[in-house]
Amino acid sequence: MPELPEVETIASGLWPMLAEQTIESVTILNDSSVEGRREALENYVAGREITYVHRRGKLLLMDLSIPSEYEHELPAPRSEYPLQLAFHLKMSGRLFVYSADTPPARHTRIIFDLSNGNRLFFDDMRKFGFCRALAPCDYLNWQFWQQLGPEPLTIKTEDFVALFQSRRTRIKAALLDQKVIAGIGNIYADESLFRAGIRPDKPSNEISKKSLGLLHIKLKEVLKQAIRECGSSIRDYRDAHGDAGAFQNNFLVYGRTGQDCRVCGEPLKTEKVAGRTTVYCETCQK
């Protein structure tokens, strides 16, 4: 599943292609690819300009213009018009911009026709991903959004430490919990814990403030490096231009079970933490 660096990379790649474009029409080809109020996506998005593309956690967000006060005879109150489109790519979701008249592919689930003639396709082979239109009322009704934790790149280190010091769950499980901290998945949890020298199965409340502060520093380092290298491509992930990421070439532990640690030379171990395969070094992560 694309994590914070991959979604950040896709958003920054899409924005130049979508800037100041108006969505002329929305065509839904697969009902399960829409969450929330279908009528908001189907009926109230057309005619809105895309004003920005960015990220929150693992969600890709498209900001939309709102109807002006001069637009009369609207079919619904202005408060029901979406302010954003939220995409969760899950395992295989992709957003690509195609030229005019490009027909939908086998796995195209939603089509957005744009004012310059191009088409934005939401493709999703496994149908796990979704698009959700968010008007003011929708934010309050979407529990996932309401419970989403702070951003790891912007939270202060002292606040990061406080988040984890009060938790008894194992540190990797806490990092993966989107209610605790947003955007972290299996890859960047393993990589940051290794760089900080912390075992992934250690209870969060047994880790010193100093070590948790170091973990935050290393987590930010890993995320920023992965963003510079356009994310990690393991299977399905591609950026907005269809290119693979490169950070997988720098993995120190993730996916390297049984191989020698690149720091101490000892074989890397694996176990399950929070239901996820976890790779670590017994020597470097005491």
Side-chain angles (χ1 to χ4, degrees):
M1 182 184 297
E3 301 178 33
L4 186 156
E6 289 76 45
V7 181
E8 183 75 28
T9 300
I10 295 169
S12 61
L14 280 175
W15 171 231
M17 295 186 279
L18 299 178
E20 299 181 351
Q21 293 304 307
T22 297
I23 298 173
E24 298 288 344
S25 65
V26 179
T27 305
I28 299 170
L29 302 178
N30 181 65
D31 290 341
S32 67
S33 297
V34 179
E35 280 203 357
R37 295 185 302 127
R38 178 189 172 114
E39 70 274 11
L41 178 62
E42 198 166 34
N43 301 325
Y44 305 150
V45 168
R48 308 274 71 83
E49 181 183 317
I50 300 172
T51 59
Y52 196 45
V53 181
H54 55 117
R55 175 199 58 77
R56 173 76 170 99
K58 298 178 185 179
L59 294 172
L60 186 142
L61 301 174
M62 291 184 190
D63 294 351
L64 303 175
S65 64
I66 58 176
S68 73
E69 58 183 314
Y70 303 106
E71 292 185 60
H72 303 294
E73 300 180 0
L74 293 172
R78 284 186 177 83
S79 62
E80 294 190 20
Y81 277 75
L83 302 176
Q84 291 179 321
L85 297 179
F87 295 87
H88 203 314
L89 303 179
K90 297 289 186 175
M91 298 298 293
S92 59
R94 298 183 181 184
L95 284 161
F96 288 142
V97 175
Y98 295 91
S99 59
D101 302 321
T102 301
R106 177 183 177 185
H107 302 302
T108 301
R109 309 305 178 192
I110 307 174
I111 300 172
F112 300 87
D113 284 296
L114 307 174
S115 52
N116 63 357
N118 288 340
R119 317 186 85 187
L120 173 66
F121 288 178
F122 177 53
D123 297 330
D124 188 10
M125 180 178 67
R126 302 182 189 182
K127 298 183 181 180
F128 294 153
F130 63 82
C131 174
R132 191 176 188 120
L134 296 172
C137 60
D138 298 304
Y139 295 101
L140 295 174
N141 297 327
W142 190 14
Q143 189 176 36
F144 175 80
W145 178 273
Q146 290 294 317
Q147 296 179 342
L148 203 55
E151 291 287 325
L153 291 175
T154 55
I155 187 175
K156 294 180 179 179
T157 296
E158 57 265 32
D159 295 332
F160 179 92
V161 171
L163 271 179
F164 291 92
Q165 268 221 311
S166 61
R167 299 180 183 277
R168 297 180 180 180
T169 54
R170 291 177 291 180
I171 184 62
K172 180 175 178 179
L175 284 171
L176 296 179
D177 188 344
Q178 300 302 295
K179 298 176 185 178
V180 178
I181 195 87
I184 309 304
N186 211 26
I187 294 174
Y188 302 106
D190 277 6
E191 292 296 311
S192 59
L193 287 167
F194 175 80
R195 294 191 188 195
I198 298 172
R199 277 185 63 112
D201 57 355
K202 189 173 181 67
S204 299
N205 63 348
E206 295 181 11
I207 302 172
S208 69
K209 290 183 179 180
K210 181 179 179 180
S211 293
L212 285 172
L214 178 61
L215 173 60
H216 187 222
I217 291 170
K218 295 302 180 181
L219 176 60
K220 290 194 293 183
E221 287 179 359
V222 167
L223 294 174
K224 289 177 180 178
Q225 182 182 351
I227 291 170
R228 289 194 302 270
E229 298 182 12
C230 300
S232 305
S233 290
I234 308 300
R235 296 183 181 88
D236 299 311
Y237 164 70
R238 296 294 183 273
D239 67 14
H241 303 285
D243 299 322
F247 186 69
Q248 68 275 7
N249 300 321
N250 295 303
F251 288 165
L252 296 179
V253 287
Y254 180 83
R256 300 189 65 243
T257 301
Q259 298 181 44
D260 292 343
C261 174
R262 289 175 173 164
V263 174
C264 71
E266 292 297 314
L268 296 173
K269 304 293 184 179
T270 187
E271 65 175 79
K272 290 282 187 179
V273 178
R276 306 300 302 275
T277 299
T278 300
V279 185
Y280 65 100
C281 175
E282 284 185 322
T283 301
C284 296
Q285 293 167 267
K286 294 295 186 181

